[in-house]
DNA sequence: CAGTGGTCTAGACCACAGT
DNA sequence: CTGTGGTCTAGACCACTGC
């Protein structure tokens, strides 16, 4: 090995030093995709460590997506995949407060009824459902910030039936009820229709960012929401990093 | 332990069985946020395994974000964080082909010059730069699909100076040149201005989805791009899963 | 001080895939 | 057959932190 693997001296643990050294070679392009990485045996000699320590380092690099491993042929630098990124999905009250503005919300609509066929499809349900339909306007100061149109599956979350949503907006309340869930988001630009433009106090036809969110837990759809952000003022931020998980 | 930790029998390795068992308790809500999970010592007894195996399982759960650990107090179920999701960033040629349409692109503008002060700020550079400015229209069939306005830092990627971008569009070419990089994306809705609406063949003022992408490697800005998608037809998809990395 | 995590060792056996 | 990864063990020492 003449590549200067042992440069990194500042890290705390030996395996993180190994990770850092190899990561540096990969990210700098010194080791291009397909380049062979030292085997566990070679690493034990390079770093005077046990095989478990070398293994831990390489497994971590595999988890980060930087390395792929095959038996016999060894470990190699992976082909980079930039097609995914970490997207920050805004929590509306926090988002507003982060801008230094007072947050409040207004409940415009709140009704319990049976789901229409179109709504059953949205919620991926074959059987009839009782749902809660909610329309909530989120405000930053006195300015409309986001219009939320939500459907809650009452078979999945019966506790919502008698919830007034007076203190917490529906999104925040739901997190407190069902902490672990999956969520699918679809993001698109739309032109504000008449009703939306009036509520958000923007001109009709103005461009809006709309997030559609479908939340599930253990395969059951809990809630479906449209979040429409006023005008061109709102943006989402997403970041891709080759090593995007932990340190 | 009376919680049925040992239900999972189908997995291959012991540590993945431990991971699966604990994950099930957390995701189903049996173990709410803050709930104490067995210590490494307890897991060695529950599963008749060594401490290293128990450790590997818990460390993996920490990496997935399901568990937090503190010395002395032990390991606990983490507070869920739904504020991030995995976003699929489209590779334009693939995206078009995935819709079953023939892909091609047209180079509308291609000039080498020095960067303006505004552009230096975009590229986070304090010193003068030579840049390549490119405007490319991506087409699906004969329909305009996406308008790309890109700036390439020629100090960072001198190879781009003499590249004609005849075969590969700039985005795809850059990936082949600099495989490992970070990318920041800002997503917003905009109204098409006159020039954009003409190129994309949409009505002026129509809502467009615009992705702004800044790409860096080892702290140096390589390229900045605006990707403007025609009308309301395009959407991005993002997914949050509690255990979103590997198995 | 005692419990817990954080790290590491020096072995071991097996599975798999090239040669 | 042999090199590589995949997994596991039964210890060990230390660091931190809450009591």
């Amino acid at each position: 090995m003449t590549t200067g693997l042992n440069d990194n001296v500042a890290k705390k643990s030996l395996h993180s030093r190994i990770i850092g050294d190899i990561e540096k070679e990969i990210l700098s392009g010194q080791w291009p995709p397909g380049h062979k990485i030292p085997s566990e045996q070679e690493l034990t000699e390079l770093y005077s460590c046990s095989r478990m320590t070398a293994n831990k380092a390489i497994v971590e690099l595999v988890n980060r997506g930087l390395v792929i491993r095959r038996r016999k042929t060894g470990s190699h630098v992976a082909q980079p995949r930039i097609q995914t990124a970490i997207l920050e999905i805004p929590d509306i009250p926090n988002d507003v407060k982060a801008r230094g503005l007072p947050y409040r919300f207004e409940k415009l609509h709140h009704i319990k009824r049976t789901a229409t066929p179109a709504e059953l499809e949205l919620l991926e349900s074959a059987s009839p459902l009782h749902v809660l339909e909610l329309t909530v306007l989120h405000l930053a100061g006195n300015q409309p910030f986001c219009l939320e149109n939500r459907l809650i599956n009452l078979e999945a979350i019966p506790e919502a039936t008698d919830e007034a949503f007076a203190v917490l907006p529906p999104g925040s309340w739901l997190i407190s009820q069902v902490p672990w869930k999956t969520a699918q988001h679809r993001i698109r630009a739309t032109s504000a229709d008449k009703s939306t433009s009036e509520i958000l106090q923007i001109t009709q036809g103005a461009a809006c960012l709309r997030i559609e969110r479908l939340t599930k837990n253990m395969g059951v759809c809990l809630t479906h929401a449209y979040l429409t952000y006023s005008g061109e003022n709102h943006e989402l931020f997403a970041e891709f990093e080759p090593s995007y998980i932990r340190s």
Side-chain angles (χ1 to χ4, degrees), chain A residues 48-115:
Chain A
S48 308
C49 67
S50 75
R51 202 187 137 206
M52 276 300 289
T53 303
N55 175 273
K56 183 164 189 167
I58 300 189
V59 165
E60 176 60 25
L61 288 165
V62 170
N63 286 345
R64 294 190 191 180
L66 288 173
V67 166
I68 52 170
R69 313 189 81 181
R70 270 190 314 274
R71 288 170 153 120
K72 177 70 182 179
T73 41
S75 307
H76 295 81
V77 177
Q79 298 294 326
R81 310 153 301 141
I82 196 158
Q83 66 273 36
T84 62
I86 304 274
L87 175 69
E88 294 176 9
I89 298 289
D91 173 63
I92 299 171
N94 285 345
D95 203 15
V96 170
K97 289 169 195 159
R99 292 159 191 242
L101 294 169
Y103 169 77
R104 65 187 175 91
F105 67 96
E106 288 175 7
K107 215 170 54 176
L108 304 181
H109 188 70
H110 181 173
I111 187 172
K112 180 191 168 192
R113 54 179 173 77
T114 56

Side-chain angles (χ1 to χ4, degrees), chain A residues 153-170:
Chain A
N153 177 351
L154 288 177
E155 321 290 322
I157 313 182
E159 303 87 345
T161 311
D162 301 317
E163 171 66 28
F165 301 107
V167 181
L168 290 177

Side-chain angles (χ1 to χ4, degrees), chain A residues 174-242:
Chain A
L174 281 162
I175 286 181
S176 70
Q177 294 292 307
V178 190
W180 292 104
K181 58 198 179 194
T182 68
Q184 299 173 341
H185 302 85
R186 292 175 191 282
I187 299 147
R188 57 168 55 205
T190 60
S191 294
D193 59 20
K194 185 158 186 297
S195 143
T196 303
S197 64
E198 284 167 3
I199 295 172
L200 291 177
Q201 296 174 21
I202 53 178
T203 60
Q204 194 172 337
C208 294
L209 193 65
R210 199 187 66 187
I211 301 175
E212 180 181 357
R213 177 184 295 180
L214 182 64
T215 303
K216 304 185 193 184
N217 184 292
M218 312 297 275
V220 178
C221 291
L222 306 177
T223 179
H224 177 277
Y226 287 116
L227 303 171
T228 307
Y229 287 84
S230 54
E232 310 191 4
N233 299 323
H234 198 78
E235 72 179 15
L236 297 171
F237 184 75
E239 187 157 32
F240 171 84
E241 303 211 29

Side-chain angles (χ1 to χ4, degrees), chain A residues 7-26:
Chain A
D7 292 353
N8 195 337
V9 240
K11 294 269 178 61
K12 47 284 147 138
S13 65
L14 184 49
H15 71 259
S16 65
R17 224 183 76 205
I18 302 177
I19 291 172
D21 287 345
I22 297 178
E23 190 179 37
K24 200 175 100 186
E25 302 287 342
I26 296 175

